[in-house]
Amino acid sequence: MACVAVNSLVRTIELEFLQPLPRPIVRQKQLIPANEKLIQNLHQKLGDLIELFDENRMDGIQAIKHLETKLRDVAFRVEDEIEFQIVHLYEIEEKEELLAGIAGLFVEIPESSIDAVEEEDLEKPQAGEESDAQRSWHSFKLGCILEEAIRDIDGIHKELSKVKMECVAAALQGIGIGRKTTTVLAAAAASTTSSDGYSSHPLQGSSIMVGKNNEFQIVKAMLIQNSSRQREIVSIKGMGGIGKTTLARRVYEDPSVASRFDIRAWVVVSQYHNKLQMLTDLLKSTGCGGSGTQEGQLAQQLYQNLMHQRYFVVIDDIWSVEAWDSVKACFPDNGNGSRVLLTTRSAEVATIIGSNNDFSHQMQLLEEGESWNLFHEKTRKYPGSEFDIIGRQIVEKCKGLPLAIVVAAGLFSKLHTLAEWKNVAEALNSSAKTTTIDEECSRILSSSYNHLPHSLKACFLYLSVFPEDVEIHAKNVVKLWVAEGLVKASDDMSFDVVARRHIEELKDRNLILESETSSCGRKVKTFRMHDLLHSFCVREAKKENLLHVVYKNESNSPQKDFRWVSIQSEWFNQQTLYSSLINCRSILVFFQKYRSPNSKICPLLRVLYNTTELEIAYLFHLRCVLSRVAALTILDPFHSWNLQSLSVDRIDEMSILEFPQLQHLKIRSIPMDFPICFHQNLKSIGLLRVDHCTKEFFTSIPYAEKVEIDCEGGWNDCMNNIAYLHQLQSLFLLGCGFRILIPNNNIVSLKSLIQLRIFSMRFKGKTINIFSKLPKLEVLRLIMCEWIGREWELLENESFDQLISLSISFSKLEHWEASACHFPNLERLVLEWCEELEKIPGGFAEIPNLKSIELKECRHSAVDSAKEIQREQHEQGNDNMVVIAKHTKEMRATKIDRCE
């Protein structure tokens, strides 16, 4: 319970007082010198105490819950007091400057009298200056806050130690403090995680919830074997967590189903449907992004795209008939066997919307053998009989619900000894024997959550800010977690790296569902949460007074103390909300129009996500701004000294400023005269102009890992200088107007480069082959790039030895000469709108690690060559190699002027 509060306070202490260059007003008021020992002492005690809670996992004992609540309240109080004091210092400074300005209007000293001013008068405090006594008062006030915090922390530590000793004594004497005490003591004796909080045995298996094979065949038959030529509505119905979405996904991706239809689309509806979002997602899923913003325009475009096509559309997680009624007119009945597949918990919804009983399937709970196989597949260890006995008891508690089984497996996969298995099983078995499936599922989710390390628990709770069923981008989550202070760095891992590991850990524990992997296939790119897990997460966050969600037409007034607000509707009372934002740290917006509040309303704000209009000059504690459509004006005075991530559409005006904590800067076009003083912390920046790319600039950001450059003004000099970025891992080159790429051997000096993206450039001869000399290059994406002569030929010594993923999009490439030796480790090949390419090199059939070839809008001959490669791969034993072809047809060349 205290995880968010303590992690946040620890990070605030580090940023305000322990970083090499604290904010100027803290230095000016001399807050640190007299309080340095208190600051370090409190920082250490907080870390020690949260580790003590983490090690002992005593969440089953009421006294421990009380202490965690007490620690949470202390940490929140102390952090508020520290941050409000800093706000107060800025307010004092602003008033003093205002008074000084007013005084200057009324007091005019004649020139003749200046010489008469005595020297001692020059030493007196002037308007706007502060005496030593005043500075001492501010320092004394901070000292009082810190001393009281240390006393409270020491008191909690003593109470915790006392409770722990009582538990140990009770266990040794065999007296009944309760069955869960045994669990606590065993966890204290052997922690459920390794020293860094991670298991050394990650979960195996790719699917979270598996549908039974006979159910797969039933639904598949409804889609492609039923003789009906009408547009039919097929429904999969069943309780939450039973595996409806996974079954629908398995059918959707089945090759025999995919080949039956001309066009496919997938949309997630969720409990609070949004017609505009549904239409936008459907158009995007069909590969035809909508060109309007009005519902009527998008609906018409969707209808036209589906007309005269045999289509297959999945509407996942639909809760109401109204949601279907809002979009049903977009699905024409072409009389060609089109199908709409919906998943729902409601039998009534399925009956009203569905065609008839011939096109409806009721999901069944897993049988005993299937349940055990799923649990065993996810744990994949401890094959001894004692583990099996315990595991089967746990599986029985899950009552055949796949979600409960995989979450339980995620929990037990992190327990290392037989004793730990016994103790956790005992806690789960301590409930009454007669419980419903929903109650058992809730208990298992709660147990899995309670066994998370505190840092991971804090990160999991923050996911409650996202709407149900939304696809979450991992790169944004990393920035948000870091900005909120939920992630703790270590000596050998940065905040971003630790946050990435937290995402992988949540995936391994089956608490999030991976939607898309990165190009290299090694990282989670996007993920979702199952709606039952999301509901649990929201419930826990609200219970801890962390979260307030703004739903459509909500009339309830929020509590005063929440820290995160998730705005999921534009129809709400802003005045009521604004009156409650005094302690708010994060504002996240999930619709188009919202203006951010000012510092008077929200003085402690750290995170602004997806707001359209920004007023941030006086948001003193701002750390993260992520907004795709916002324009910014940043002028002195600008006090967001700890700003870490800034991503906006443009900056209209900016003064010379310092951002010592800035790590990520993303602006669609950085102004030519960008007057920013960067520090060594910068990790990523874009979109730079070539004029920015000087030796002096690149040497000032030696730890930059990701750079994006607009090469419109020529790129050769830029490449000469970029070689100074010795830790660069990702490079994006935007060559507007099909600029010719000129060979530059300096690119080879980028020894750490892993990902290279090139947009809208032309290659002279074999220029592109120079990138084969990059020793660590794993991902190469070529978008709207052209080969002069329309041929790509690689010589024998020009091999991309480490390349894992190769993507070519919107290209007029016709002939491609290459063999397996040129791409020996290639796993993924993507060809999109390569309308002239005749075939894929046949030698790719000999690449041992090839997993997939994906084609979109390519020639039939190219698709045929991919299928021939697949056939040969299968003959050589690589049965997992797949070909995915979308919307393929014989095409004539068309000029492509731009890439959306």
Side-chain angles (χ1 to χ4, degrees):
M1 291 189 293
C3 52
V4 172
V6 175
N7 286 5
S8 182
L9 174 56
V10 167
R11 186 60 182 145
T12 293
I13 291 171
E14 292 170 352
L15 286 172
E16 299 298 350
F17 306 123
L18 297 180
Q19 63 166 303
L21 195 65
R23 64 173 72 234
I25 202 163
V26 169
R27 287 176 276 150
Q28 176 189 337
K29 306 300 183 183
Q30 299 180 15
L31 297 187
I32 298 176
N35 296 306
E36 188 170 3
K37 289 185 177 179
L38 289 174
I39 292 168
Q40 292 175 346
N41 193 9
L42 177 60
H43 183 265
Q44 181 66 42
K45 287 179 180 293
L46 286 167
D48 292 344
L49 189 56
I50 202 67
E51 283 185 13
L52 190 58
F53 275 105
D54 219 1
E55 287 171 3
N56 291 283
R57 299 290 171 82
M58 300 191 204
D59 42 81
I61 300 176
Q62 195 60 40
I64 302 302
K65 289 184 178 181
H66 169 71
L67 289 177
E68 274 213 78
T69 301
K70 192 172 181 180
L71 176 59
R72 178 200 66 188
D73 294 343
V74 168
F76 278 155
R77 185 203 76 219
V78 174
E79 185 173 40
D80 288 349
E81 289 175 347
I82 290 173
E83 293 192 320
F84 273 122
Q85 183 180 9
I86 291 172
V87 171
H88 183 59
L89 292 178
Y90 279 118
E91 290 173 345
I92 292 173
E93 184 181 59
E94 186 179 354
K95 289 178 182 177
E96 289 173 345
E97 290 176 355
L98 179 61
L99 290 173
I102 294 173
L105 294 175
F106 294 97
V107 178
E108 183 175 346
I109 302 176
E111 268 186 57
S112 59
S113 66
I114 292 178
D115 294 335
V117 178
E118 296 182 7
E119 186 176 359
E120 62 182 12
D121 292 331
L122 296 176
E123 298 176 357
K124 294 178 181 179
Q126 304 297 310
E129 292 184 0
E130 192 174 42
S131 68
D132 290 340
Q134 288 174 310
R135 282 194 293 270
S136 298
W137 164 247
H138 298 311
S139 177
F140 172 75
K141 184 178 179 182
L142 175 62
C144 291
I145 294 171
L146 298 173
E147 287 175 348
E148 183 181 6
I150 290 171
R151 285 195 299 270
D152 291 340
I153 296 298
D154 285 342
I156 294 171
H157 195 290
K158 289 179 181 178
E159 288 185 63
L160 180 61
S161 299
K162 181 180 178 181
V163 171
K164 179 181 176 182
M165 293 305 298
E166 289 175 351
C167 291
V168 172
L172 291 175
Q173 296 173 17
I175 62 177
I177 288 184
R179 296 181 65 181
K180 290 185 182 180
T181 304
T182 312
T183 304
V184 171
L185 295 173
S191 174
T192 60
T193 59
S194 58
S195 58
D196 61 357
Y198 294 92
S199 167
S200 59
H201 302 283
L203 274 176
Q204 303 295 319
S206 58
S207 178
I208 294 299
M209 291 171 283
V210 293
K212 293 182 293 187
N213 191 58
N214 65 321
E215 294 190 301
F216 167 72
Q217 296 298 338
I218 290 170
V219 176
K220 180 178 174 181
M222 294 176 183
L223 295 170
I224 65 175
Q225 294 176 14
N226 191 286
S227 60
S228 173
R229 302 290 297 172
Q230 295 180 330
R231 179 207 67 184
E232 301 290 357
I233 312 299
V234 180
S235 63
I236 301 175
K237 54 191 177 182
M239 65 184 300
I242 202 169
K244 301 182 297 295
T245 298
T246 299
L247 177 57
R249 176 65 67 182
R250 184 180 172 191
V251 172
Y252 184 81
E253 295 177 348
D254 182 72
S256 62
V257 174
S259 63
R260 169 79 173 176
F261 299 95
D262 302 317
I263 189 169
R264 293 179 301 152
W266 183 292
V267 64
V268 181
V269 180
S270 77
Q271 188 170 358
Y272 303 99
H273 80 276
N274 181 313
K275 180 180 178 181
L276 181 63
Q277 190 64 51
M278 289 171 65
L279 293 170
T280 302
D281 290 346
L282 281 166
L283 281 165
K284 182 180 178 181
S285 182
T286 62
C288 307
S291 58
T293 58
Q294 301 299 318
E295 291 177 355
Q297 291 176 309
L298 298 177
Q300 182 66 21
Q301 290 176 44
L302 180 59
Y303 181 86
Q304 291 174 347
N305 289 344
L306 299 180
M307 193 64 188
H308 306 305
Q309 302 272 0
R310 182 189 291 161
Y311 58 83
F312 175 32
V313 175
V314 176
I315 302 179
D316 187 32
D317 195 24
I318 188 169
W319 286 65
S320 66
V321 176
E322 290 74 22
W324 166 249
D325 288 342
S326 69
V327 295
K328 68 179 181 181
C330 300
F331 303 111
D333 190 347
N334 299 320
N336 60 4
S338 292
R339 298 286 186 263
V340 177
L341 173 65
L342 60 89
T343 71
T344 181
R345 298 185 192 184
S346 169
E348 181 182 8
V349 169
T351 301
I352 295 173
I353 299 175
S355 294
N356 55 56
N357 288 336
D358 292 338
F359 293 95
S360 180
H361 175 66
Q362 173 70 53
M363 288 284 290
Q364 302 297 313
L365 294 166
L366 296 179
E367 297 175 357
E368 182 180 348
E370 294 170 323
S371 297
W372 170 247
N373 289 338
L374 178 57
F375 181 85
H376 187 64
E377 176 192 349
K378 296 299 177 182
T379 52
R380 280 191 185 273
K381 56 183 180 180
Y382 309 130
S385 58
E386 290 186 272
F387 287 105
D388 288 351
I389 292 172
I390 297 170
R392 290 184 185 277
Q393 292 173 354
I394 297 302
V395 168
E396 184 179 353
K397 298 286 288 182
C398 296
K399 300 182 183 293
L401 189 65
L403 176 65
I405 294 169
V406 295
V407 171
L411 166 59
F412 279 85
S413 70
K414 300 298 177 180
L415 307 178
H416 303 311
T417 68
L418 183 62
E420 291 168 354
W421 275 54
K422 287 180 178 178
N423 292 319
V424 175
E426 183 179 328
L428 287 173
N429 289 328
S430 62
S431 62
K433 296 299 181 183
T434 55
T435 54
T436 66
I437 296 177
D438 286 340
E439 289 171 339
E440 285 298 347
C441 185
S442 179
R443 283 178 54 77
I444 290 167
L445 298 184
S446 180
S447 182
S448 182
Y449 166 74
N450 287 331
H451 278 80
L452 292 175
H454 273 78
S455 58
L456 200 57
K457 190 180 293 185
C459 292
F460 176 73
L461 284 179
Y462 194 82
L463 298 180
S464 62
V465 301
F466 293 95
E468 179 183 321
D469 285 326
V470 74
E471 193 168 85
I472 303 169
H473 287 265
K475 66 178 181 181
N476 289 338
V477 168
V478 167
K479 295 181 177 69
L480 295 171
W481 282 348
V482 173
E484 268 286 357
L486 307 182
V487 176
K488 182 180 179 181
S490 61
D491 293 337
D492 58 343
M493 285 193 292
S494 67
F495 289 102
D496 287 5
V497 171
V498 173
R500 279 284 180 181
R501 292 196 65 179
H502 284 344
I503 291 174
E504 294 295 331
E505 178 79 352
L506 290 174
K507 183 190 75 170
D508 288 346
R509 291 174 179 267
N510 298 326
L511 297 177
I512 62 174
L513 308 172
E514 183 180 77
S515 301
E516 185 179 358
T517 59
S518 61
S519 297
C520 66
R522 296 175 182 171
K523 295 180 180 179
V524 176
K525 183 176 181 180
T526 62
F527 63 89
R528 296 180 184 271
M529 297 181 74
H530 189 279
D531 49 8
L532 289 182
L533 277 164
H534 181 267
S535 297
F536 173 83
C537 189
V538 169
R539 188 165 60 250
E540 288 295 318
K542 287 182 175 180
K543 188 167 66 176
E544 295 297 319
N545 293 331
L546 294 169
L547 174 70
H548 175 68
V549 182
V550 177
Y551 297 112
K552 186 175 181 179
N553 298 325
E554 184 178 67
S555 58
N556 295 332
S557 298
Q559 74 273 21
K560 293 283 185 180
D561 297 328
F562 63 86
R563 294 169 67 91
W564 313 325
V565 58
S566 176
I567 301 175
Q568 300 178 21
S569 171
E570 58 184 318
W571 307 110
F572 69 96
N573 189 324
Q574 287 198 11
Q575 200 63 37
T576 301
L577 177 65
Y578 282 176
S579 66
S580 306
L581 294 179
I582 190 70
N583 296 102
C584 184
R585 272 25 180 232
S586 287
I587 295 179
L588 298 95
V589 183
F590 297 97
F591 66 92
Q592 289 297 317
K593 298 177 182 179
Y594 177 78
R595 185 184 183 91
S596 63
N598 59 41
S599 61
K600 303 299 182 185
I601 296 171
C602 206
L604 307 183
L605 193 66
R606 295 174 183 172
V607 170
L608 280 170
Y609 180 86
N610 211 31
T611 51
T612 55
E613 296 182 56
L614 301 177
E615 295 181 4
I616 67 174
Y618 292 95
L619 292 175
F620 311 114
H621 296 290
L622 195 64
R623 299 179 189 174
C624 179
V625 179
L626 302 178
S627 182
R628 292 170 295 175
V629 293
L632 222 57
T633 297
I634 304 178
L635 301 174
D636 272 338
F638 183 73
H639 303 300
S640 299
W641 186 255
N642 293 322
L643 189 67
Q644 299 167 356
S645 298
L646 178 61
S647 178
V648 292
D649 186 68
R650 71 180 191 272
I651 293 183
D652 293 332
E653 188 176 357
M654 190 169 188
S655 300
I656 297 176
L657 300 168
E658 284 189 298
F659 297 101
Q661 291 296 324
L662 191 65
Q663 297 189 26
H664 305 285
L665 176 66
K666 181 67 177 292
I667 307 172
R668 180 172 294 183
S669 181
I670 294 179
M672 293 288 291
D673 55 344
F674 197 58
I676 190 168
C677 179
F678 291 110
H679 289 252
Q680 293 190 150
N681 291 316
L682 195 72
K683 294 288 185 65
S684 67
I685 185 170
L687 194 64
L688 292 171
R689 299 176 185 268
V690 290
D691 291 348
H692 296 135
C693 303
T694 63
K695 175 183 175 182
E696 291 73 23
F697 175 69
F698 284 144
T699 53
S700 72
I701 53 169
Y703 304 115
E705 297 175 354
K706 180 178 181 180
V707 171
E708 300 179 345
I709 303 172
D710 181 348
C711 300
E712 185 176 359
W715 81 305
N716 204 45
D717 290 340
C718 171
M719 287 301 101
N720 290 334
N721 296 324
I722 205 170
Y724 291 100
L725 296 178
H726 300 296
Q727 297 193 28
L728 190 66
Q729 297 180 18
S730 177
L731 175 63
F732 174 48
L733 301 175
L734 173 61
C736 298
F738 295 96
R739 183 165 299 280
I740 295 178
L741 183 70
I742 301 172
N744 188 313
N745 290 323
N746 284 331
I747 192 76
V748 180
S749 64
L750 298 176
K751 304 295 185 184
S752 299
L753 196 67
I754 295 174
Q755 180 174 219
L756 175 62
R757 293 179 296 151
I758 304 177
F759 183 94
S760 188
M761 282 194 180
R762 303 179 71 194
F763 306 133
K764 186 181 286 186
K766 301 180 179 65
T767 305
I768 186 69
N769 298 352
I770 194 173
F771 297 123
S772 67
K773 299 184 182 298
L774 292 168
K776 293 186 178 181
L777 187 66
E778 295 182 355
V779 177
L780 177 61
R781 295 188 62 190
L782 306 173
I783 309 161
M784 290 185 66
C785 292
E786 295 298 330
W787 284 259
I788 298 174
R790 300 191 178 186
E791 294 184 353
W792 185 12
E793 180 182 358
L794 291 111
L795 301 179
E796 186 176 350
N797 63 340
E798 295 172 330
S799 60
F800 291 80
D801 291 337
Q802 302 303 319
L803 199 68
I804 293 174
S805 175
L806 172 62
S807 176
I808 305 175
S809 304
F810 297 94
S811 172
K812 298 294 181 61
L813 179 66
E814 294 180 1
H815 302 290
W816 185 6
E817 295 292 334
S819 65
C821 67
H822 294 120
F823 301 96
N825 290 297
L826 191 68
E827 296 180 5
R828 182 185 183 214
L829 174 64
V830 179
L831 301 172
E832 299 177 310
W833 286 278
C834 295
E835 303 168 359
E836 303 291 339
L837 185 64
E838 296 178 359
K839 64 178 182 178
I840 301 169
F844 281 28
E846 300 175 12
I847 299 176
N849 298 321
L850 191 63
K851 295 179 180 178
S852 67
I853 299 177
E854 302 168 34
L855 305 99
K856 185 173 184 178
E857 303 293 4
C858 295
R859 288 178 176 268
H860 281 310
S861 59
V863 176
D864 291 341
S865 67
K867 291 181 178 178
E868 177 60 23
I869 291 170
Q870 181 188 37
R871 185 187 65 78
E872 294 186 37
Q873 286 274 347
H874 288 182
E875 287 179 354
Q876 297 170 25
N878 185 8
D879 296 331
N880 295 323
M881 190 264 160
V882 297
V883 172
I884 302 171
K886 300 178 181 179
H887 311 244
T888 55
K889 53 189 174 182
E890 196 70 38
M891 293 180 152
R892 57 185 176 85
T894 56
K895 183 176 180 180
I896 296 179
D897 297 317
R898 63 193 180 97
C899 174
E900 294 293 343

